[in-house]
Amino acid sequence: MSVRRLSAAAVVALLEGPWSAAPVAAHASAQPLAADVTDLSLGRLGAATGGLLGLAAVVIAGLALARPSGRLGAANGSRGAVTAMAAGLIGMALGGLVAATADGGLGTGNGLGGAYVALLLGLIGTLLGGWALSRSRRHTG
């Protein structure tokens, strides 16, 4: 490399130095950064937990509907229905908490998509659990 090129690069580096990097850093820090695919943030963990609870509520409510006096409880299927409703409500609460506290939008790694899924599965599990509970009470009384 020639001395001219080296001195020209040094002059450009001195002129651009810290003065030109500050506006770029301020602009970059203003936008929320997307999390990496392998990162497990609290939002993703909460949304996954809520989604799994909602899915468990749907499965338990489906079993309670299919077998009202079956394996899920000795109280004519009401134990499975109540369990499904409780798991669905907890799943919806976790999904709502994550959706309310997420910083960025969908795809930023804050668990917002999983929170919506948890809300939906929790709602379905709660509704099916309530339906199974009303059916089990109708059969007993």
Side-chain angles (χ1 to χ4, degrees):
M1 193 178 238
S2 70
V3 175
R4 267 190 197 163
R5 285 188 182 173
L6 213 84
S7 62
V11 168
V12 169
L14 284 176
L15 289 177
E16 288 184 0
W19 301 282
S20 65
V24 172
H27 178 68
S29 66
Q31 295 178 352
L33 296 174
D36 195 22
V37 176
T38 58
D39 290 343
L40 185 63
S41 64
L42 286 177
R44 284 182 178 175
L45 184 64
T49 305
L52 287 175
L53 277 171
L55 183 63
V58 170
V59 169
I60 292 171
L63 288 174
L65 279 171
R67 305 172 191 207
S69 61
R71 298 180 184 178
L72 290 177
N76 293 329
S78 63
R79 185 179 300 160
V82 170
T83 303
M85 289 178 61
L89 287 173
I90 293 171
M92 283 193 331
L94 278 173
L97 178 69
V98 171
T101 59
D103 290 335
L106 287 173
T108 57
N110 292 319
L112 191 59
Y116 292 152
V117 171
L119 281 168
L120 181 66
L121 285 175
L123 178 66
I124 292 170
T126 303
L127 291 176
L128 287 177
W131 187 25
L133 186 62
S134 69
R135 281 183 61 188
S136 70
R137 287 186 179 166
R138 196 177 316 148
H139 289 301
T140 60

